């Protein structure tokens, strides 16, 4: 039975993450880190590409599942004619090696179980050499090695390892898969029960720093756990999603690799983390940002690898058919080489946000900002590819210009509010010139709305951010007009497209279509609240919460026609949008700009 994107849950160890389906199968896992080749790639290539299923022998999809409290310990349960059983899945925070722990717990009766694991390194391309000895299975292929430990007998058949056993009420049967580079010594397997206790204690302690006072406590907590799960602990980088090539259109070609860190996400993520008590995570993200962006400001990229790697060469895995036939499957991301003007503004805004909210000062941060400002002053008038990474012609995108304005505005504030040194009069003059140009060339007076780019007939959901960055106040009639126009022209069954791909003759230069963009719809709820339409904003926010799967996870997009999630999952941008919208909608003043902290 083919699973949908929303049928998957997430477990992870703050280095990488796995997707676990409702059928008890781990169908996606990259080891040893998020952007490494997958050893289980059934998500994109079917069972021949690697999987690990652990479920009742005669059962299909589970009866129910949940996370244990505020943790990444996933509990999946089946009710069968023979009894009931629970499979507990987790990846304990990384120690000596990477471990996946699965424990079968009998709840009632006596349930026949079946385990099947097919390791296929390099995205399903390489069949490892497998040996069965001393009650364990060892698999090795080139640089990769893995070991499977369990007290039940394991057997090999058709290049797959199987186990058949029964579990009765009160009985617990562990399985531990351990990975380590093949040239390193064989690691000791973790004790499954101790790993569960340690993992639960880790998440309980982490959630102890949580700060949010509002009506959507549960949703905010789960989104923050998801953001933490997408964090690469050694560097503090946060990947956009745990997957590659989950399609924006079922069967379509818009399939991208999201296992990288986007600079654009920085200021939004810092708001979410700092606003909910996670100062250490925000500081680590800022430090990752400073390292990644270091160097010639002209070479600033929109995204980097989790360790700051710049070369993210895009290529296709032609042996994988893709999720529900959505090909090609891509690794790497060619958009990393695009010129997206708004990124300079986003980085400057993110570092300003850290400074404004009291994150410990860093002298290198201001040095970097000065260098970025020098470049921005000389290039703000250039056309670019826009924040949505369009692969068509460069344009004068309104959002890009607004963020250039924001970058210079934050520089002016740094001097005026925080006493830093810089040519404030020159920055102020350039800032005001950008503002005048955007209002003159990016606003359609007849339609009473800003447009996607200068002279465009299309709109862009990012226009909703104009008041959020302080470009215009919430009460400006041009803001209300833009919110109305975006809602009218980009909504599909109540959810928002990021833009209309067919507008202006096909602005993005790509075939196919896409679903409603989840984080953009959170922006709409936020904007409705900001212009005083509070009840409408709350209703839309509640509808958005209904798009989460049963575990509280959101992908990138949603198809209102089929009622299915689309795009890579879980999507950090969607969960950041949820957290920040919840914080804004929980505030006492609809017109409170949480980014600037002003009214």
């Amino acid at each position: 039975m083919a699973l949908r994107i929303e049928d998957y849950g997430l477990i992870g160890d703050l280095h990488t993450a796995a997707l676990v389906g409702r059928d008890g199968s781990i169908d996606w896992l990259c080891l040893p880190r998020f952007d490494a080749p997958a050893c289980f790639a059934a998500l994109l290539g079917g069972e021949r590409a690697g999987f690990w299923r652990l479920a009742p022998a005669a059962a299909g999809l589970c009866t129910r599942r949940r996370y244990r409290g505020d943790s990444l310990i996933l509990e999946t349960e089946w009710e069968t004619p023979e009894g009931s059983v629970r499979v507990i899945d987790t990846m304990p925070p990384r120690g000596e090696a990477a471990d996946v722990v699965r424990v079968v717990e009998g709840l009632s009766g006596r349930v026949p179980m079946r385990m099947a694991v097919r390791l296929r390194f390099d995205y399903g391309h390489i069949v490892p050499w497998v040996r069965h000895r001393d009650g364990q299975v060892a698999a090795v292929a080139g640089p990769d090695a893995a070991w499977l430990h369990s007290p039940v007998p394991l057997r090999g058949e058709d290049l797959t390892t199987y186990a058949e056993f029964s579990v009765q009420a009160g009985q617990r049967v562990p399985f531990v898969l351990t990975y380590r580079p093949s040239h390193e010594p064989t690691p000791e397997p973790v004790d499954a029960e101790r790993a569960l206790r340690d993992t639960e204690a880790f998440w309980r302690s982490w959630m102890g720093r949580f700060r949010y006072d509002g009506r959507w406590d549960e949703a905010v907590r789960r989104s923050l756990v998801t953001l933490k799960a997408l964090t690469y602990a050694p560097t503090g980088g946060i990947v956009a999603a745990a997957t590659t090539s989950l399609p924006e259109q079922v069967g379509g070609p818009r399939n991208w690799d999201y296992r990288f860190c986007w600079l654009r996400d920085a200021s939004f993520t810092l708001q979410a983390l700092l606003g909910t008590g996670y100062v250490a995570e925000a500081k680590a993200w800022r430090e990752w940002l400073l390292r990644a962006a270091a160097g010639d400001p002209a070479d600033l990229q929109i995204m980097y690898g989790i360790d700051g790697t710049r070369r993210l060469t895009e290529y296709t895995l032609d042996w994988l058919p893709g999720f529900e036939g959505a090909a090609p499957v891509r690794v790497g991301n060619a958009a990393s080489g695009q010129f997206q003007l708004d990124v300079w503004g986003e980085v400057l805004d993110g570092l300003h946000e850290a400074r404004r909210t009291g994150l410990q000062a860093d002298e290198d941060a201001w040095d970097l900002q000065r260098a970025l400002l020098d470049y921005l002053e000389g290039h703000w008038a250039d056309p670019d590819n826009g924040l949505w990474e369009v692969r068509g012609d460069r344009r004068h995108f309104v959002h890009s210009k607004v963020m250039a304005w924001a970058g210079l505005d934050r520089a002016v504030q740094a001097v005026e509010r925080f006493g830093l040194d810089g040519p404030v009069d020159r920055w102020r003059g350039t800032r005001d010139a950008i503002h005048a140009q955007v209002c003159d060339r990016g606003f359609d007076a007849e339609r009473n709305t800003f447009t996607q780019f200068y002279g465009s007939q299309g709109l862009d959901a990012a226009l909703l951010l104009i008041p959020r960055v302080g470009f215009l106040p919430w009460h400006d009639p041009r803001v209300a007009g833009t919110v109305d126009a975006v809602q009218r022209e980009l909504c599909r069954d109540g959810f928002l497209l990021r833009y209309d791909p067919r507008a202006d003759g096909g602005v993005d230069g790509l075939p196919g279509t896409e679903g409603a963009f989840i984080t953009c719809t959170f922006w709409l709820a936020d904007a409705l609240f900001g212009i005083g339409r509070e009840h409408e904003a709350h209703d839309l926010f509640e509808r958005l919460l209904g798009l989460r799967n049963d575990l509280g996870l959101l992908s990138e997009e949603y198809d209102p026609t089929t009622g299915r999630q689309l795009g890579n999952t879980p999507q950090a941008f969607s969960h950041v949008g949820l957290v920040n919208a919840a914080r804004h909608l929980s505030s006492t003043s609809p017109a409170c700009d949480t980014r600037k902290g002003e009214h």
Side-chain angles (χ1 to χ4, degrees), residues 356 592-599:
R356 186 188 68 79
C592 180
D593 185 334
T594 55
R595 176 171 289 191
K596 294 183 67 181
E598 300 169 353
H599 288 67

Side-chain angles (χ1 to χ4, degrees), residues 3-30 33-35 40 43 62 65-76 87-93 99-102 196 199 203 206 221-232 238-244 246 258-259 548-555 565 567-573 575:
L3 298 185
R4 305 164 301 170
I5 291 171
E6 56 265 38
D7 288 328
Y8 286 97
L10 182 81
I11 58 174
D13 65 355
L14 310 184
H15 287 240
T16 189
L19 295 189
V20 187
R22 286 179 177 271
D23 59 352
S25 182
I26 297 178
D27 288 344
W28 184 255
L29 175 60
C30 301
R33 56 189 227 175
F34 289 105
D35 56 356
F40 298 137
L43 182 72
C62 66
R65 59 181 181 167
R66 61 182 175 272
Y67 283 114
R68 182 182 295 178
D70 294 316
S71 77
L72 274 187
I73 299 174
L74 179 62
E75 299 182 337
T76 307
V87 173
I88 306 168
D89 291 321
T90 197
M91 294 182 70
D99 298 289
V100 182
V101 174
R102 314 194 75 180
L196 285 173
T199 303
W203 287 105
W206 187 81
R221 295 169 80 95
R222 179 47 54 185
S223 286
L224 287 167
V225 168
T226 304
L227 288 175
K228 180 65 172 177
L230 294 173
T231 301
Y232 183 60
I238 301 175
V239 295
T243 58
T244 180
L246 290 182
Y258 274 20
R259 297 170 299 158
R548 298 178 303 155
N549 73 358
D550 55 317
L551 296 173
L553 301 179
L554 288 166
S555 67
Q565 292 190 14
N568 287 301
T569 196
Q571 180 81 5
F573 216 18
H575 287 280

Side-chain angles (χ1 to χ4, degrees), residues 566-593:
L566 295 171
N568 287 301
T569 196
Q571 180 81 5
F573 216 18
S574 297
H575 287 280
V576 166
L578 186 157
V579 172
N580 287 334
R583 291 177 55 240
H584 191 203
L585 270 61
S586 298
S587 65
T588 56
S589 172
C592 180
D593 185 334

Side-chain angles (χ1 to χ4, degrees), residues 534-549:
E534 299 175 48
H535 294 300
E536 191 176 351
H538 285 121
D539 289 345
L540 178 56
F541 188 84
E542 292 287 353
R543 289 190 65 203
L544 280 163
L545 293 185
L547 303 187
R548 298 178 303 155
N549 73 358

Side-chain angles (χ1 to χ4, degrees), residues 460-483:
D460 188 326
L463 299 171
L464 298 171
L465 300 175
I466 285 174
R468 294 289 288 155
V469 301
F471 185 85
L472 289 175
W474 287 107
H475 57 76
D476 191 294
R478 290 168 293 183
V479 169
T482 299
V483 173

Side-chain angles (χ1 to χ4, degrees), residues 111-180:
V111 182
M113 300 291 295
R114 181 176 174 85
M115 194 272 322
V117 59
R118 182 177 297 170
L119 278 162
R120 294 293 183 267
F121 295 113
D122 191 27
Y123 301 102
H125 191 242
I126 297 176
V127 180
W129 178 30
V130 177
R131 293 169 295 168
H132 292 250
R133 61 174 59 170
D134 301 327
Q136 71 172 8
V137 172
V140 63
D144 302 301
W147 297 262
L148 178 63
H149 302 265
S150 179
V152 302
L154 305 172
R155 62 179 178 85
E157 180 182 335
D158 298 329
L159 301 179
T160 305
T161 298
Y162 293 98
E164 287 88 15
F165 60 100
S166 294
V167 62
Q168 60 188 11
Q171 187 179 4
R172 294 167 71 94
V173 180
F175 294 82
V176 177
L177 180 71
T178 302
Y179 171 92
R180 204 172 197 183

